[in-house]
Amino acid sequence: MPKMKSNRGAAKRFHATATGKVRRYKAYARHILTTKTAKQKRGLRSHALVDQTNLKSIAKLLPYLG
């Protein structure tokens, strides 16, 4: 049986934490930043955890995530 391939786009966007949770970047941080407040932009810098409802689909994209 050959190895399964990871979805390369998803591999660049999601990472596993030490406890096995999946970490993601926040949206809305790429452009049109002049209209956003400093507080909003500061909050977008930090990572977020993937919601429980989306973990199943991410597991299909990244079979070796851990």
Side-chain angles (χ1 to χ4, degrees):
M1 188 90 181
K3 293 179 186 176
M4 291 186 285
K5 285 190 175 182
S6 294
N7 181 292
R8 298 315 297 158
K12 293 166 191 173
R13 286 169 171 82
F14 301 106
H15 300 281
T17 63
T19 55
K21 294 173 183 170
V22 182
R23 202 172 64 163
R24 66 171 176 85
Y25 292 104
K26 290 183 182 172
Y28 306 108
R30 294 286 177 215
H31 60 100
I32 317 175
L33 296 172
T34 53
T35 59
K36 294 178 178 78
T37 63
K39 185 178 179 179
Q40 276 179 300
K41 291 184 275 193
R42 203 164 47 244
L44 291 170
R45 268 186 236 149
S46 59
H47 295 281
L49 294 176
V50 172
D51 194 65
Q52 197 72 31
T53 55
N54 298 320
L55 285 177
K56 199 174 189 179
S57 58
I58 289 171
K60 285 181 185 175
L61 295 172
L62 302 169
Y64 301 109
L65 189 60

